[in-house]
């Protein structure tokens, strides 16, 4: 039975993944549901950070294997995350997945290790962007490649913490609170990170336009 | 009292929330604070359009699902989720390559052989090019095929169990009528053959009496 924060329940009860997590803890074979639910998000995070499909696959595999093995230790991390938050509104609490936060903390560490281990990044932002643009859209594909490439390059040039915040916000559609928990920062700090990141991207895109590269929205 | 930077950051956050909400209700208009820098709005919309979520290939998805399932089975048995075999330890063996130079042992058993597409077919993307491409497995790091270490241990244990069974079977001759008749026809008793056969088995097992 789920209860609201106003009723004084332990906030961990409000986790939207609690049922799936409990099932997986009772029987690890039920971890599959969590895996399917978060595969694309974890993979996307890894892909945007590492910009290589094979590296992203390896990182994704490590993340889920570590999560499966570490699931018995998950509960106290939930409490730690929840304890750091202000009292939750009902609407806010229904959207919280502390499992997702925990999973992305693992992903952040795995990706950071991967980046440290392998400084070689042979795939450029533009190359990766070309992979993402749909070749079926013949008319728009060139413009789409260019726009996506410009955005990727602008994001790739951001300092690490701003870049991660942008990816978690735009690609994984996380709230400020979730990003703060994953990055180990305050919510205020994450807001400022995102604001400054967008300002940098705006300047980058504007300088690109001045040098002749078009923007999709221009 | 909020500083200017904090106020701007909050405006930006509200705009980003509005962007997501507008997408969810398929609305083109996104409410924005009049004081929000238009350049920030433009950059946010640009990133919203460009940074799409990427889905891995279904082949990878199913392959990892199988590995996780195996890991779950190991966990239920009280073992580690994944067999840790450090590189260079006894038991790690290099990959095999077929005639086309494709790494064979890197492919999980569940994956069919056509996982050897050119690198141009690297992944499936979703959206907009969902499920369009086949994955490239040719450049992947190989997973070691274990033929020593744990594998040898398991194999030798199986051989030992088999040998013990043979020894036990020989020391416990069948008590059926046919068995007794056969032993009588060969003029052998259970005990006379037992010592000789046990010696052979003990020799196989390396037992020193």
């Amino acid at each position: 039975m789920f209860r609201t924060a106003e009723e004084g329940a332990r906030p961990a009860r409000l986790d939207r993944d609690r049922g799936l997590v409990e099932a997986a803890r009772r029987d690890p074979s039920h971890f599959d549901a969590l895996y399917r639910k978060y595969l694309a998000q974890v993979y996307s995070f890894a892909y945007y950070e590492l910009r290589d499909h094979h590296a992203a696959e390896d990182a994704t595999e490590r993340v889920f294997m570590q999560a499966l093995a570490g699931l018995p230790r998950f509960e106290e991390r939930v409490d730690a995350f929840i304890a750091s938050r202000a009292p939750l509104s009902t609407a806010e609490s229904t959207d919280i997945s502390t499992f997702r936060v925990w999973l992305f903390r693992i992903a952040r560490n795995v990706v950071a290790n991967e980046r440290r281990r392998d400084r070689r990044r042979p795939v450029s932002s533009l190359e990766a962007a070309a992979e993402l643009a749909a070749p079926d859209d013949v008319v728009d594909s060139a413009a789409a490649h260019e726009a996506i490439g410009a955005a990727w390059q602008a994001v790739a040039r951001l300092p690490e913490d701003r870049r991660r915040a942008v990816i978690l916000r735009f690609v994984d559609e996380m709230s400020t609170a979730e990003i703060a928990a994953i990055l180990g920062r305050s919510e205020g700090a994450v807001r400022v990170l995102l604001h400054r990141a967008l300002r940098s991207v705006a300047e980058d895109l504007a300088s690109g336009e001045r040098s002749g590269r078009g923007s999709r929205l221009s | 009292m909020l500083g200017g930077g904090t106020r701007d950051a909050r405006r930006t956050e509200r705009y980003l929330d509005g962007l997501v909400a507008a997408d969810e209700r398929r609305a083109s208009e996104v409410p924005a604070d009049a004081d929000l820098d238009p350049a920030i709005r433009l950059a946010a919309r640009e990133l919203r359009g460009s940074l799409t979520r990427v889905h891995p290939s279904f082949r990878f998805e199913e392959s990892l699902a199988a590995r996780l399932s195996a890991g779950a089975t190991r966990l239920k048995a009280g073992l580690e989720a994944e067999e840790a075999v450090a590189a260079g330890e006894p038991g790690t063996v290099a990959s095999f390559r077929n005639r086309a130079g494709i790494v064979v042992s890197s492919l999980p058993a569940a994956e069919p052989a056509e996982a050897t597409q050119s690198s141009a077919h690297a992944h499936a993307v979703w959206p907009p090019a969902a499920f369009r491409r086949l994955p490239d497995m040719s450049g992947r790091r190989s997973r070691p095929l274990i033929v020593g270490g744990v594998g040898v241990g398991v194999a030798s244990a199986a051989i030992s169990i088999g040998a013990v069974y043979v020894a036990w079977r020989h020391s416990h001759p069948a008590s059926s009528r046919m068995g007794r008749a056969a032993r009588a026809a060969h003029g052998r008793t259970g005990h006379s053959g037992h010592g000789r056969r046990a010696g052979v088995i003990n020799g196989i097992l390396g037992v020193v009496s």
Side-chain angles (χ1 to χ4, degrees), chain B residues 8-188:
Chain B
D8 286 346
R10 283 190 183 278
R11 281 191 197 107
T12 300
E13 183 185 40
R14 278 197 295 273
Y15 184 70
L16 294 180
D17 287 342
L19 264 182
V20 175
D23 273 1
E24 282 171 359
R25 61 175 196 275
R26 298 174 186 278
S28 55
E29 290 297 313
V30 182
D33 194 317
D35 292 332
L36 181 64
D37 183 349
I40 296 274
R41 280 209 300 265
L42 190 67
R45 293 177 73 97
E46 192 77 19
L47 292 186
R48 178 78 183 155
S50 297
L51 302 184
T52 54
R53 194 171 289 173
V54 185
H55 200 288
S57 70
F58 287 108
R59 195 181 304 279
F60 169 75
E61 179 176 352
E62 294 309 317
S63 163
L64 181 50
R67 285 174 61 78
L68 288 167
S69 175
T73 304
R74 290 177 57 81
L75 280 178
K76 276 201 277 191
L79 302 168
E80 293 287 321
E82 193 173 28
E83 272 182 291
V85 182
E89 280 183 0
T92 56
V93 168
S95 318
F96 295 104
R97 287 177 185 273
N98 64 15
R99 285 180 188 171
I102 303 303
V103 177
V104 174
S105 66
S106 70
L107 302 177
E111 295 192 342
E114 69 265 19
T116 53
Q117 300 294 319
S118 73
S119 58
H121 302 290
H123 63 286
V125 178
W126 177 51
F131 329 137
R132 196 178 65 249
R133 298 172 177 181
L134 291 173
D136 169 27
M137 300 293 288
S138 58
R140 298 208 56 189
R141 280 204 296 273
S142 60
R143 296 198 174 94
L145 177 69
I146 301 172
V147 296
V150 174
V152 164
V154 171
S156 61
I159 291 169
S160 300
I161 291 168
V164 168
Y165 173 76
V166 169
W168 178 86
R169 197 69 190 83
H170 276 270
S171 64
H172 294 75
S175 58
S176 66
R177 273 188 208 166
M178 188 65 85
R180 283 196 299 273
R183 283 196 300 277
H186 285 88
R188 296 198 318 221

Side-chain angles (χ1 to χ4, degrees), chain A residues 45 49-50 59 62-63 66 77 101-117 164 182-183:
Chain A
F45 176 70
E49 279 286 278
L50 301 171
R62 249 171 280 155
V63 169
Q66 285 186 25
R77 293 180 187 223
V101 168
W102 178 72
L103 186 68
F104 270 81
R105 279 177 176 166
I106 297 174
R108 183 199 65 185
N109 291 336
V110 167
V111 164
N113 287 340
E114 178 69 19
R115 287 178 69 96
R116 268 195 296 272
R117 194 177 60 77
R164 286 206 179 126
I182 291 166
L183 299 183

